[in-house]
Amino acid sequence: MGLVGVQENGNGEMGLSSLPLGSKNKYRRMNSELREDYDDASRQKHQQDRNNSTRKYVLACAVFASLNSVLLGYDVGVMSGAIIFIQEDLKITEVQEEVLVGILSIVSLFGSLAGGRTSDAIGRKWTMALAAVIFQIGAVIMTLSPSFEVLMIGRLLAGIGIGFGVMIAPVYIAEISPTIARGSLTSFPEVFINFGILLGYVSNYAFSGLPAHINWRIMLAVGILPSVFIGFALFVIPESPRWLVIQNRVEEARSVLQKTNDSEKEVEERLAEIQVAAGTADVENHEEKAVWRELLSPSPSVCRMLVTGFGIQCFQQITGIDATVYYSPEIFKDAGVEGNTNLLAATVAVGVTKTAFILVAIFLIDKLGRKPLLYVSTIGMTICLFSLGLSLSLLGQGQVGIALSILSVCGNVAFFSVGIGPVCWVLTTEIFPLRLRSQAAALGAVGNRVCSGLVAMSFLSVSRAISVAGVFFIFSAISALAVLFVYTFVPETKGKSLEQIELLFKDKHEWHGSEVEMGDVENLVQKEQGSEVEMGDAENLVQKE
């Protein structure tokens, strides 16, 4: 029996703890599994916390970088009403009115042109600061101006500052944003432009009851406030990681990417892509042509980028959005609305509509993609512009005509805000390679501002010649051409990194609007880098797939 007892104990009979030895092993395994589950849960919570922190940080950067865009929007909105009282106070002519309204867009092209080189020299962040300072000086001069000539000097300076800001904000946001949210975040400048327009309209309505020699000055002075907040923003936002890589400040770039990406793996992938794109990992970097020389004598792929980027920027403006926004009181007066207060109240409705629908674009741009929104936008604008022309030409100044005119204007700005308004800036900052991005984006902004200025400076004269309705029939036809342009020349860029988008334009077939799967882009990346895969490695990849 004793021998049997020993054997039984050895086989797991009751020990000193009154538990089978095998059960102890089982409990140890269970404890180990519990610890592993706890570690997994802890890692998941840590990753979730990092994701939340990253999203908040990137969102804050996008918001602060977009504050310059409020300046442009506010100027557009406030001038539509302030010009009524400026004309009354300073006794300016209709031609001077057109020049005063439109000159800001023309002059801003110089700021946009200088902005590309400036941002490459001093960085994206400090270029935004420079834009705010120049605009502040111009706004102060406009507020205190005793004559049309002094008012024009302030307007010129404000235009240069706005040119800097309009060009650099989308570039900065595109370079700092993670791929999955880049479309939504890069559309923030357009959101803030719309918010600024709404503030301008509200300011017009709020101060319209004051004496004519005071109210327009207060309206313009309020525009200084957003640029003050930009000063505080400089202490929050980092420099663009892509600009830091260009300056060979790789560790600083890695530090910024760690704050704007969810994982270390993603950080290293993005950093490697940026280094390749910037040429810091390529000995051919020293053989590249100067930026402007490459833009003026482009390769086929860069030429395709320029056609797409410059074209979409021009179509955004020659479809008449600035005429609709700047001269909405004139349009509503032609439709039959009477009294300055009623005119300015109608413009507030336009501003609310424009701002509300830009928020729709933010939620849809990374879900539906760029092209679907462009189609909806350009087709809808074509219909609304044609409808506005019909209402002004056929329905006269009755209640039905007034209602349809206001509805058509609101519909036009709504469709603009859903698509071509924000998508235009998103595309321009996405499609160009890093070495060309800031200068090419500046060139696109120049086209945008020139077209805006030409429309703003000619609207009153042309409408006197062919009627306001005739002008909007022309805008409708141009908008229809924009639909064809989008179909022919704009590829889908949703869900692709900036470096992958560059490769879309190297293939002429892909450029003409066709979809490219992520796997195809990765293959193009491998070919572009000249990497070779051995047959055995390829077979392993096939097996994994």
Side-chain angles (χ1 to χ4, degrees), residues 297-485:
S297 180
S299 64
S301 61
V302 173
C303 184
R304 296 179 193 120
M305 295 173 189
L306 289 171
V307 169
T308 299
F310 196 78
I312 199 68
Q313 287 277 11
C314 291
F315 270 113
Q316 190 207 48
Q317 290 299 328
I318 60 177
T319 49
I321 188 62
D322 274 4
T324 305
V325 175
Y326 272 127
Y327 297 109
S328 52
E330 295 285 339
I331 297 167
F332 293 142
K333 185 185 294 185
D334 196 67
V337 179
E338 297 178 352
N340 287 343
T341 302
N342 291 331
L343 288 171
L344 296 177
T347 62
V348 172
V350 175
V352 170
T353 303
K354 201 169 188 298
T355 304
F357 277 86
I358 191 69
L359 299 177
V360 175
I362 288 182
F363 291 111
L364 296 180
I365 194 168
D366 282 320
K367 294 180 180 179
L368 297 183
R370 286 48 161 165
K371 287 196 75 169
L373 290 182
L374 284 174
Y375 282 135
V376 170
S377 176
T378 49
I379 293 172
M381 287 169 60
T382 301
I383 295 171
C384 290
L385 290 166
F386 189 78
S387 173
L388 180 58
L390 284 178
S391 66
L392 293 174
S393 60
L394 300 180
L395 298 180
Q397 297 188 343
Q399 292 299 316
V400 175
I402 292 174
L404 185 57
S405 294
I406 294 176
L407 184 63
S408 297
V409 170
C410 289
N412 180 53
V413 298
F415 280 113
F416 176 88
S417 295
V418 163
I420 197 169
V423 173
C424 163
W425 298 104
V426 173
L427 278 174
T428 306
T429 55
E430 285 182 330
I431 61 178
F432 292 103
L434 179 57
R435 67 184 183 280
L436 305 177
R437 187 169 299 140
S438 60
Q439 304 284 20
L443 194 61
V446 166
N448 184 284
R449 294 293 88 201
V450 168
C451 292
S452 170
L454 292 176
V455 169
M457 293 178 73
S458 62
F459 177 81
L460 292 178
S461 300
V462 175
S463 64
R464 297 289 181 270
I466 64 173
S467 78
V468 176
V471 173
F472 282 100
F473 282 130
I474 293 175
F475 287 149
S476 178
I478 295 173
S479 184
L481 292 176
V483 180
L484 297 177
F485 179 86

